[in-house]
Amino acid sequence: MLLGRIQKTISTLTLLAGSLFTVSCSVEKEIPPVKVIVPFAPGGGSDTLARILVREIESQTPAGPNWVIVNIPGAGGTIGSRRAKNAAADGNTLLFLHDGILTAKFAGQSLYGPEAFSPVAATGELGMLICVAENSPYQSLEGLLNEAATNPESTTFAANIGAPSYFMARLLEKTHGKAQFRFVQSGGGARRFADLSGGHVVASAFSVSEYLNFSEGGIRALAILQEERNEQIADVPTAKESGLDIVYSNIQGWWAPASTPHEVLQERRKVLLKAMNSTQIQEYFQDQSIDPVFLNGPELASAMEGKAEQLGQLELGFKRMHLPPLEWTVSIAILGGVALVASGRRALHRTLPDDVSLGSQFLQGTLLLGFLLSLSLPFSGFIPLGIVFIFASTVIALGRRRIHLTFATAAIAPAILFLFLSRLLGIEFP
């Protein structure tokens, strides 16, 4: 009897131990992955570099979490960066983004910059080149800039407006003093290469890595924006050798959501540093002519501050429309809401009366279009334009006997209410 109880107890303990082991294994297997947001399409330079680093990290830490690349392209990288910024601050979401995290803010494409993130580390620095087509008549950077000073309308420069390639050209303009390019909106390195080699533009900017891949396709480098010449393209002079004191490089940074715990940042930093020291990564960086620098979080933040100071010297002319003070927003929203309610029965639940002429409808539509386009003018603002629009719409409407408010007023009211709610809730939009 006693022996039976002992055997039963042992069996129970064995089952319990097995259950605990199973639970332990399942918990271990359920380690959340580290999502690496690359805010560009697959196949580009940033995406390729991120995947190579992630592959090395996973090979070195087989028992660690999986690292998953998530491509979220669009709006110059701001869609992906916003997703990362708003993610949980647990270290399981990282953003892999170069100087674009800073230039997007200077270009007015986003309301935030590096200060909205916790800097993790920088893994690599890309030297930048100013290039022309192989058959271009320009043999030096100085010659290109002199031409841009003499004939600015015909000296076209392909750039992704607001991205590092654009700001490099603006720095060249400022350093030269008289040069002025006519910028042509392009895209990533492959798109800029197509525009340049196809003869659609005069010049553009590329990283050394991009140039090594594209140089046989019909482009030629005039200068490199570094302190010294690059060994792999030793025949390309520095900008300083052309008499222009300008140095600019593109830092590849890793960023975590703000308030990510320090110990988590340290762990991610340690993993990245170990990957950077591997033979495979060092050989890849050497082959692609990427400077294998590693910056910790504070060093990366300091580097971005230096670049912000450099870019802050430019007169960019970008303008972002800021929402008006809350009391004005409330007033205009109420007025727009009243307009919507008052015109609801007549304008929204029945067809327009016969006495509304096509000319009146055309005038109303033109007024709405003019209001929206005027918001982008440097001398315009939301408050005066909103008042003028509603006043003009009311005047047009009162000119008709059977309509008190127009469709245009009813159409703009939801937009005004939307602006009010977005300001009230603190929602940001790129």
Side-chain angles (χ1 to χ4, degrees):
M1 193 74 176
L2 179 60
L3 181 61
R5 290 181 179 180
I6 293 175
Q7 290 177 339
K8 185 176 181 180
T9 301
I10 292 175
S11 299
T12 303
L13 291 175
T14 302
L15 289 173
L16 180 60
S19 300
L20 291 175
F21 177 76
T22 302
V23 171
S24 175
C25 290
S26 65
V27 170
E28 185 177 351
K29 290 180 180 179
E30 292 178 0
I31 297 176
V34 177
K35 293 185 293 183
V36 179
I37 294 179
V38 178
F40 304 105
S46 294
D47 177 70
T48 302
L49 181 56
R51 291 180 186 276
I52 290 174
L53 286 166
V54 162
R55 189 182 309 132
E56 182 62 25
I57 289 172
E58 290 191 328
S59 68
Q60 293 180 352
T61 56
N66 292 326
W67 289 56
V68 181
I69 300 292
V70 181
N71 296 97
I72 307 179
T78 57
I79 296 178
S81 68
R82 184 177 300 279
R83 181 80 64 85
K85 182 177 76 73
N86 295 334
D90 54 10
N92 292 326
T93 300
L94 300 177
L95 172 68
F96 185 66
L97 180 57
H98 49 51
D99 289 10
I101 195 172
L102 179 67
T103 57
K105 180 179 180 180
F106 275 86
Q109 294 176 329
S110 68
L111 296 174
Y112 56 87
E115 74 285 346
F117 296 85
S118 294
V120 182
T123 53
E125 189 171 8
L126 298 170
M128 305 304 298
L129 297 159
I130 303 301
C131 301
V132 294
E134 183 64 39
N135 59 356
S136 172
Y138 308 109
Q139 301 299 317
S140 68
L141 180 59
E142 184 180 9
L144 173 66
L145 293 174
N146 288 339
E147 178 67 18
T150 305
N151 300 300
E153 285 302 314
S154 61
T155 311
T156 51
F157 194 101
N160 192 2
I161 307 299
S165 59
Y166 171 79
F167 283 91
M168 277 180 278
R170 294 303 304 267
L171 286 170
L172 285 173
E173 290 179 335
K174 178 177 176 58
T175 305
H176 184 272
K178 297 181 180 179
Q180 186 175 354
F181 293 110
R182 180 163 68 86
F183 291 98
V184 176
Q185 170 60 33
S186 185
R191 176 62 184 275
R192 297 197 305 277
F193 166 71
D195 289 340
L196 185 58
S197 61
H200 304 297
V201 295
V202 173
S204 189
F206 298 93
S207 69
V208 176
S209 177
E210 289 172 328
Y211 179 72
L212 291 174
N213 293 327
F214 298 148
S215 58
E216 296 183 359
I219 65 173
R220 174 166 47 85
L222 296 181
I224 185 169
L225 308 184
Q226 288 187 300
E227 291 285 356
E228 299 178 354
R229 295 193 182 198
N230 186 286
E231 293 182 359
Q232 290 187 262
I233 45 174
D235 58 325
V236 179
T238 66
K240 287 189 174 183
E241 292 178 59
S242 300
L244 295 166
D245 187 12
I246 174 174
V247 175
Y248 193 93
S249 60
N250 206 4
I251 297 177
Q252 298 286 354
W254 295 79
W255 310 87
S259 302
T260 299
H262 177 71
E263 59 274 12
V264 176
L265 295 176
Q266 285 288 78
E267 181 60 30
R268 299 289 181 254
R269 202 169 289 145
K270 185 189 305 181
V271 170
L272 289 168
L273 178 58
K274 185 178 180 181
M276 282 291 291
N277 289 332
S278 70
T279 303
Q280 290 81 356
I281 296 299
Q282 291 292 318
E283 290 178 350
Y284 175 80
F285 274 46
Q286 183 177 2
D287 181 63
Q288 295 296 313
S289 198
I290 302 174
D291 191 359
V293 300
F294 182 88
L295 304 178
N296 60 31
E299 290 171 338
L300 174 57
S302 178
M304 287 295 112
E305 290 174 2
K307 288 177 175 287
E309 184 177 350
Q310 185 181 24
L311 298 181
Q313 300 173 4
L314 299 175
E315 296 178 3
L316 298 173
F318 289 110
K319 174 179 178 289
R320 170 179 284 277
M321 185 189 75
H322 295 282
L323 292 177
L326 186 59
E327 59 273 15
W328 278 98
T329 309
V330 172
S331 301
I332 295 177
I334 292 176
L335 182 57
V338 171
L340 179 62
V341 173
S343 60
R345 289 182 175 275
R346 293 182 178 272
L348 300 179
H349 297 290
R350 58 183 296 184
T351 59
L352 285 171
D354 295 335
D355 65 341
V356 178
S357 65
L358 291 176
S360 177
Q361 296 178 46
F362 176 78
L363 182 60
Q364 296 163 10
T366 302
L367 180 63
L368 175 60
L369 181 61
F371 168 76
L372 297 175
L373 293 178
S374 298
L375 291 175
S376 62
L377 297 177
F379 54 81
S380 61
F382 177 83
I383 298 173
L385 286 176
I387 294 175
V388 169
F389 171 78
I390 292 180
F391 176 77
S393 297
T394 304
V395 170
I396 294 175
L398 292 178
R400 316 305 305 170
R401 292 184 178 181
R402 298 175 62 185
I403 292 185
H404 298 291
L405 291 171
T406 65
F407 269 110
T409 305
I412 199 63
I416 296 174
L417 290 171
F418 174 74
L419 288 172
F420 164 66
L421 291 175
S422 65
R423 181 182 178 86
L424 185 64
L425 299 176
I427 301 175
E428 300 175 352
F429 298 92

